[in-house]
Amino acid sequence: MMGTANTAPLKTALVLGASGGVGGEVTRELLRTGWRVRGLKRGLGTPHLVREGVEWINGDAMLLTDVISAAQGCSVIVHAVNPPGYKRWAELVLPMIDNTIAAARQHGATILLPGTVYNFGPDTFPLINEDASQQPQTRKGLIRAELEHRLQVAAASGDVSVIIVRAGDYFGPHARNSWLSQGMLKPGRAVSAMYLPGRPGVGHQFAYLPDVARTMVSLLTVRDTLPTFSRFNMAGHWDAGGKQIAQAVQRVVTRRGYPQPKLRAFPWWLVWLAAPWVTTLREMLEMRYLWQTEVRMTNQRLVEVLGAEPCTPLEEAIEATLEGMGCLPDVKLLTLA
């Protein structure tokens, strides 16, 4: 069990990636529950800035001195930073986690990490528990498995504690870099069609990002009772057969007065054509297997610790997501236009 003395303030957190989807949602939940939040941001234009309750500090997660300085006085470091568009993973992902580990070690902070399903290979499918072996068969999976290994080694040293929360594909009002907002729907316009990336009949796991943030922050409240290295899975929303999310979108859209959106197969052939020239598309193809086979995480450990998993009803979550994406403009205004 965690026995490390921690003299840092109990309610101050550094969020790396606070301007991103996951980091931003965790930031909002931390603020809502009474935490002080500090963010590290490149090109801030000033050494220090307070905006919307967040104390922003100019700095770079790739620079060890910047991370250590920003983490001073923090009892938690949320490591929610990733290279954008899947670019330069091999160069950036591991050096950034090394900096976070060093800062946590120096300040006695808990590291809170949003995990990925990339870490697992076919030997663990279709049901994955928290302690499943990590034998990935993709480049990104190997990097993420090594990232978690480094965290586990650091936690074993006794002066760093780690909480990892793993969930399905994110969606939510502020989840800009998600399959729902970038591949299945078109932000900023009424929904006329929805594109389904999965193989027909194959289920897929989704997670509403505000629920993920609530889960992560709830685990922080009990961190002193957890092992120094703790992994948790979220069940989220299981889309059995691959159409339940799409059908929920249809119901929300028609209830708001729009025509029912058409369901179409995602045009993977276009991705194949453009992939040689676009890094993000090449990386998408590497992870396509997650849409072709069922990969589902079980949440038994999370329920044992928290009593229940935070879970917003699906249609409520979908409606909030569509509103945040600008996909539910006022029907009357559209008619007048």
Side-chain angles (χ1 to χ4, degrees):
M1 302 296 286
M2 283 173 31
T4 303
N6 191 337
T7 58
L10 295 179
K11 298 287 284 186
T12 305
L14 169 65
V15 180
L16 300 177
S19 58
V22 184
E25 204 65 64
V26 173
T27 294
R28 282 183 283 274
E29 182 64 14
L30 286 167
L31 291 171
R32 189 186 70 81
T33 54
W35 285 74
R36 293 175 56 200
V37 179
R38 192 175 296 160
L40 188 67
K41 188 174 181 64
R42 289 181 300 167
L44 191 60
T46 180
H48 178 270
L49 174 68
V50 177
R51 183 170 54 205
E52 296 181 348
V54 179
E55 178 189 2
W56 291 96
I57 295 174
N58 188 64
D60 191 335
M62 282 292 291
L63 297 177
L64 176 59
T65 54
D66 285 359
V67 180
I68 289 178
S69 176
Q72 185 172 3
C74 295
S75 59
V76 169
I77 302 175
V78 181
H79 189 90
V81 60
N82 267 317
Y86 293 121
K87 297 176 183 177
R88 301 177 62 197
W89 265 54
E91 301 171 49
L92 303 179
V93 169
L94 295 178
M96 286 193 292
I97 198 62
D98 286 341
N99 292 344
T100 291
I101 291 170
R105 179 175 286 120
Q106 179 156 329
H107 298 299
T110 295
I111 298 172
L112 180 60
L113 176 80
T116 73
V117 74
Y118 303 164
N119 302 53
F120 304 104
D123 62 302
T124 64
F125 301 163
L127 288 176
I128 302 173
N129 64 33
E130 291 83 356
D131 299 319
S133 66
Q134 297 194 5
Q135 300 182 49
Q137 297 185 350
T138 65
R139 289 172 296 128
K140 287 192 293 299
L142 289 168
I143 291 170
R144 289 294 302 202
E146 173 61 23
L147 180 153
E148 289 193 21
H149 174 69
R150 294 186 186 189
L151 287 171
Q152 190 167 14
V153 169
S157 69
D159 54 356
V160 172
S161 57
V162 176
I163 300 172
I164 298 172
V165 178
R166 207 181 312 278
D169 266 323
Y170 298 140
F171 69 100
H174 307 287
R176 296 184 296 274
N177 297 319
S178 71
W179 261 100
L180 196 68
S181 64
Q182 290 192 315
M184 301 170 73
L185 296 171
K186 295 181 179 180
R189 62 179 71 178
V191 183
S192 59
M194 186 168 179
Y195 297 87
L196 308 183
R199 178 179 292 169
V202 173
H204 194 79
Q205 197 163 27
F206 289 87
Y208 184 50
L209 199 47
D211 290 340
V212 177
R214 282 193 286 273
T215 298
M216 295 175 77
V217 174
S218 294
L219 287 168
L220 288 179
T221 67
V222 297
R223 67 189 185 280
D224 289 336
T225 70
L226 301 176
T228 54
F229 184 75
S230 299
R231 292 187 178 114
F232 296 92
N233 292 343
M234 292 185 65
H237 292 281
W238 176 246
D239 186 350
K243 285 189 176 181
Q244 290 182 353
I245 291 287
Q247 290 166 348
V249 170
Q250 287 181 318
R251 290 193 296 273
V252 169
V253 168
T254 55
R255 190 170 65 239
R256 294 285 289 263
Y258 299 95
Q260 179 170 287
K262 297 179 175 61
L263 303 184
R264 296 172 177 166
F266 181 80
W268 283 106
W269 64 274
L270 282 175
V271 178
W272 279 103
L273 286 176
W277 297 277
V278 183
T279 300
T280 300
L281 297 182
R282 289 197 299 274
E283 301 297 334
M284 284 173 59
L285 287 175
E286 184 186 38
M287 310 312 295
R288 187 184 177 186
Y289 73 95
L290 294 172
W291 290 100
Q292 296 177 312
T293 187
E294 292 194 348
V295 181
R296 187 176 187 180
M297 292 171 286
T298 60
N299 70 342
Q300 180 178 347
R301 181 175 297 166
L302 181 65
V303 172
E304 288 174 352
V305 171
L306 295 183
E309 176 182 315
C311 187
T312 303
L314 180 57
E315 288 193 26
E316 179 183 333
I318 289 292
E319 187 161 17
T321 299
L322 294 178
E323 288 178 346
M325 290 171 56
C327 291
L328 292 174
D330 190 286
V331 176
K332 294 180 180 178
L333 293 178
L334 287 177
T335 303
L336 291 174

